Amino acid sequence: MSTESAAPAARVPFHPMRSILLHLSESKRLAPLMMRNPLSRRVARRFVAGEKLDDAVVAAYAVNQAGQSSSLDLLGENVADEAAARRSAQNYLAIFDRIAQERLESNVSLKLTQLGLDLDAALCEELLAGIVAHAARYANFVRVDMEGSPYTQRTIDIVKRVRARHSNVGTVMQAYLYRTEKDVRDLLGVGCRIRLCKGAYNEPPAVAFPQKPDVDANYVKLMKILLPSGVYHGIATHDPAMLQATKDFVREKKIDRDQFEFQMLYGIRTDLQRQLVREGYRLRIYIPYGTDWFPYFMRRLAERPANLTFFLRSLLPRRA
Ligand SMILES: Cc1cc2nc3c(=O)[nH]c(=O)nc-3n(C[C@H](O)[C@H](O)[C@H](O)COP(=O)(O)OP(=O)(O)OC[C@H]3O[C@@H](n4cnc5c(N)ncnc54)[C@H](O)[C@@H]3O)c2cc1C
């Protein structure tokens, strides 16, 4: 695997547009403008299943038919008041009911700032515990997404406390953070299921690797710590090099294909999604839906500058 070759990797910084787009993803002024604009709504549909739970159910059903499982994410983050946090929690209870009703092969992903982490950590923990207990009644699972680095420690702490009561909750580790290896070992110590991703937020070099090859090398290193642990983890990436490194490692270590799953985002690299299923790997598709799609959409644009060109082109008037 190139990321682990003896020669030092070339220094490749992230694309300069990445941090601009990630910065804009937090703009409270741009969000309503984009969300009202019919053209940007149309482009966002490439990454978002729709605005209603019904749309997500249709998408999850199609994903299941294609031999993949799913994780439903009701978009939303950084809620402004307790009522909104409680509404999000109620919505998540209803999602689990609907998953069971429709017999979908799906769990859910959520963000703690959607449950009020910015407002009151105790409230957030209480709401998460309620959702996890509800999911346990259906033998289902809650994945707590990882947000920007100011939330990392608080997310880990809350997940660990809730997990001590109900084991059907796990979280996400981001390979771009220097601290992640230590966090991975800490969470493995309590048997926590982990989704490994590269990381999608705007982080300063003080906390995260600024060069892509270092993030990739750390990703491979962490994957090799996670997969032999005996805990069921998710390897979340669309990067062919990360996929290959994982396939090579599990073959070498004789790790069964049902001991872990690959995970990808709805609408991204569907060619690779189909290929993994053809090859007999487990794959889960993260399906976001809801009206609050702006920050999620901007993070997807930031990951691939070509998406921005596609988006800007779609805003231009069409020639007859
Ligand atoms: C299931 C899942 C859950 C995630 N959860 C979190 C989370 O909780 N917290 C978090 O910080 N991040 C999360 N992420 C996002 C992740 O951190 C990365 O930002 C994202 O996956 C891109 O990294 P990559 O591994 O695909 O590799 P990259 O090196 O970024 O991309 C590799 C290749 O994948 C393709 N690709 C990647 N992104 C896109 C895109 N947006 N559009 C089109 N093609 C693309 C391109 O072909 C690209 O060359 C999640 C990702 C997945 C798949």
Side-chain angles (χ1 to χ4, degrees), residues 14 18 46-47 71 109-111 143-148 171-176 195-201 212 216 219 235-242 262-269 272 284-286 296-297 299-304 307:
F14 288 104
R18 180 176 183 270
R46 186 183 150 193
F47 303 112
S71 191
S109 295
L110 53 78
K111 292 182 173 50
R143 175 77 62 186
V144 177
D145 286 345
M146 190 56 81
E147 301 177 70
T171 189
V172 179
M173 291 279 101
Q174 298 154 321
Y176 64 11
R195 171 200 295 151
L196 178 64
C197 68
K198 289 192 187 177
Y201 294 82
K212 181 172 157 51
D216 291 353
Y219 191 101
I235 302 299
T237 182
H238 317 91
D239 185 339
M242 302 299 109
F262 285 112
Q263 299 184 353
M264 292 195 188
L265 299 176
Y266 177 81
I268 296 183
R269 295 303 308 255
L272 291 181
R284 186 178 300 277
I285 304 298
Y286 183 103
Y296 180 87
F297 173 62
R299 290 196 291 273
R300 302 296 78 82
L301 291 187
E303 279 155 6
R304 192 162 172 264
N307 288 345

Side-chain angles (χ1 to χ4, degrees), residues 7-280:
R11 298 295 83 191
V12 183
F14 288 104
H15 194 282
M17 281 308 290
R18 180 176 183 270
S19 65
I20 296 171
L21 289 165
L22 289 177
H23 181 72
L24 288 175
S25 76
E26 291 167 20
S27 165
K28 296 276 175 264
R29 272 199 289 181
L30 189 58
L33 291 177
M34 290 268 286
M35 281 155 67
R36 273 199 302 267
N37 182 312
L39 287 173
S40 44
R41 286 167 71 147
R42 191 162 52 82
V43 178
R45 277 300 290 264
R46 186 183 150 193
F47 303 112
V48 174
E51 297 200 341
K52 304 227 168 350
L53 177 55
D54 284 346
D55 301 320
V57 167
V58 169
Y61 185 73
V63 155
N64 287 177
Q65 288 291 97
Q68 306 154 3
S69 57
S70 58
S71 191
L72 300 189
D73 167 44
L74 170 58
L75 291 163
E77 42 204 270
N78 301 102
V79 295
D81 55 45
E82 181 176 337
R86 291 192 180 278
R87 263 198 313 277
S88 303
Q90 283 300 323
N91 285 331
Y92 271 106
L93 302 184
I95 295 173
F96 276 111
D97 295 342
R98 187 72 187 275
I99 288 172
Q101 212 181 353
E102 305 280 350
R103 298 175 186 275
L104 292 173
E105 189 54 55
S106 186
N107 60 32
V108 307
S109 295
L110 53 78
K111 292 182 173 50
L112 291 189
T113 65
Q114 197 175 13
L115 301 180
L117 185 57
D118 289 324
L119 311 168
D120 176 355
L123 166 76
C124 176
E125 184 172 334
E126 172 207 318
L127 295 177
L128 177 67
I131 296 169
V132 174
H134 191 71
R137 287 184 207 117
Y138 294 115
N140 209 331
F141 179 78
V142 178
R143 175 77 62 186
V144 177
D145 286 345
M146 190 56 81
E147 301 177 70
S149 59
Y151 300 108
T152 310
Q153 191 58 50
R154 282 179 282 168
T155 301
I156 292 172
D157 292 345
I158 291 178
V159 167
K160 279 172 76 177
R161 278 199 298 272
V162 172
R163 210 186 161 279
R165 285 187 275 161
H166 311 280
S167 61
N168 58 316
V169 59
T171 189
V172 179
M173 291 279 101
Q174 298 154 321
Y176 64 11
L177 295 184
Y178 305 131
R179 60 176 287 168
T180 296
E181 181 176 348
K182 182 181 80 42
D183 292 336
V184 159
R185 293 190 190 282
D186 176 34
L187 287 166
L188 283 182
V190 295
C192 186
R193 283 170 59 176
I194 291 171
R195 171 200 295 151
L196 178 64
C197 68
K198 289 192 187 177
Y201 294 82
N202 210 9
E203 300 292 357
V207 300
F209 294 104
Q211 309 276 343
K212 181 172 157 51
D214 295 326
V215 178
D216 291 353
N218 201 36
Y219 191 101
V220 173
K221 181 179 184 189
L222 296 167
M223 175 273 288
K224 291 182 175 181
I225 296 172
L226 290 173
L227 291 188
S229 68
V231 178
Y232 188 85
H233 300 298
I235 302 299
T237 182
H238 317 91
D239 185 339
M242 302 299 109
L243 297 174
Q244 194 55 53
T246 306
K247 291 177 191 174
D248 291 346
F249 183 69
V250 297
R251 192 177 322 107
E252 182 194 325
K253 298 291 173 195
K254 300 190 170 38
I255 295 169
D256 284 349
R257 289 179 181 195
D258 58 3
Q259 294 297 299
F260 72 102
E261 63 188 29
F262 285 112
Q263 299 184 353
M264 292 195 188
L265 299 176
Y266 177 81
I268 296 183
R269 295 303 308 255
T270 48
D271 55 334
L272 291 181
Q273 296 178 7
R274 282 191 295 270
Q275 187 186 329
L276 286 175
V277 174
R278 270 200 309 274
E279 291 171 353

